[in-house]
Amino acid sequence: MARYSLDEFVRTTGQKDLGQGKFELERDRMLEVNLNGRVWIKRGGMVAYLGDVKFTREGMLEHGIGKLMKKAVTGEGVSLTKAEGNGKVYLADGGKKISILHLNNESIYVNGNDLLAFEESITWDIKMMKKVAGMMAGGLFNVKLEGTGMIAITTHYDPLTLMVTNDRPVFTDPNATVAWSGNLQPDIKTDISLKTFVGRSSGESVQMAFRGEGFVVIQPYEEIPYVVPQA
């Protein structure tokens, strides 16, 4: 158990300028955005800010009618806020660990629950995995991000990245799947026999199947329970 004098506590826990660019990890669960312009952040993700910063919830047609229709299907899972101005913005999401990724004319899919922030230079679109929509509470929606710039994703505990190769596909629990490379298009695999796993009810009877060349990021945690419809 850490014990400090008041001065020691302030020195130990105080904010530090790390010189890492627009996105910095002040702690592994706290993101500092050095704002000079605009970034998109997860609604409800701001915990503090310094300077002249304005927060605006995205407008209904901010990203076009196509995304509006997709948001109507996916619900509030991809709800964004604009942070504009000059200052420092601190973001967090339920104490989850934060990873900063820099895309260099690349693309990545991120689970909608696990996207914390991204630069304005990044383009995005909502992708719905229709095959699993009836099995998941609220469906399974993801965000495809592409371009050049920084994004911040969150995970419960430490993420693990698995490489996918043509001769070694990877199968994951949808609720533990955080992100995957933009060139992969996962399929849904069902295996009712896996319901017999000890201590599980529906078990891993629904899986995401990744084939090809790329990577998939998982976490040691299941975010959204799902129910397999009974025949």
Side-chain angles (χ1 to χ4, degrees), residues 5-219:
S5 70
L6 193 56
D7 285 343
E8 289 171 338
F9 179 78
V10 171
R11 286 197 304 271
T12 302
T13 64
Q15 180 267 340
K16 299 175 178 62
D17 288 318
L18 304 176
Q20 296 175 347
K22 182 168 287 186
F23 286 9
E24 295 185 1
L25 282 180
E26 273 292 326
R27 304 288 186 273
D28 60 0
R29 292 171 174 81
M30 183 81 70
L31 177 69
E32 178 184 272
V33 179
N34 294 301
L35 187 62
N36 181 17
R38 174 192 295 177
V39 297
W40 288 96
I41 65 176
K42 184 175 184 177
R43 185 162 67 95
M46 188 275 291
V47 294
Y49 72 93
L50 310 171
D52 183 15
V53 181
K54 178 182 179 182
F55 299 92
T56 308
R57 184 175 176 177
E58 62 178 331
M60 289 187 64
L61 296 176
E62 183 105 26
H63 302 287
I65 189 66
K67 287 196 179 75
L68 174 64
M69 296 302 293
K70 291 178 183 178
K71 284 176 66 66
V73 174
T74 59
E76 289 296 322
V78 189
S79 190
L80 301 171
T81 294
K82 287 184 293 187
E84 300 176 281
N86 290 276
K88 294 182 181 293
V89 180
Y90 296 93
L91 306 177
D93 185 10
K96 294 166 68 176
K97 298 196 76 169
I98 300 170
S99 298
I100 300 172
L101 310 178
H102 187 273
L103 301 186
N104 184 16
N105 197 27
E106 297 166 301
S107 61
I108 188 172
Y109 286 91
V110 180
N111 184 294
N113 290 323
D114 303 319
L115 179 60
L116 182 61
F118 56 93
E119 291 192 76
E120 190 179 21
S121 58
I122 298 293
T123 60
W124 64 279
D125 196 9
I126 298 171
K127 303 291 183 179
M128 185 76 171
M129 297 194 67
K130 297 178 181 178
K131 291 182 181 179
V132 79
M135 301 176 183
M136 304 280 292
L140 181 65
F141 57 89
N142 304 283
V143 183
K144 185 177 185 181
L145 302 120
E146 53 189 333
T148 298
M150 291 185 177
I151 69 172
I153 65 173
T154 60
T155 56
H156 291 275
Y157 312 106
D158 293 323
L160 175 67
T161 299
L162 303 174
M163 301 308 297
V164 182
T165 62
N166 287 318
D167 60 350
R168 192 179 69 174
V170 172
F171 303 91
T172 65
D173 181 337
N175 300 295
T177 306
V178 175
W180 60 91
S181 50
N183 61 305
L184 296 181
Q185 296 292 331
D187 292 322
I188 295 300
K189 177 183 177 183
T190 57
D191 189 342
I192 302 304
S193 66
L194 291 180
K195 292 170 65 176
T196 59
F197 275 167
V198 175
R200 313 292 288 191
S201 55
S202 58
E204 276 72 34
S205 56
V206 178
Q207 303 148 22
M208 296 174 73
F210 295 88
R211 296 180 173 88
E213 296 284 339
F215 64 85
V216 58
V217 182
I218 59 172
Q219 62 183 359

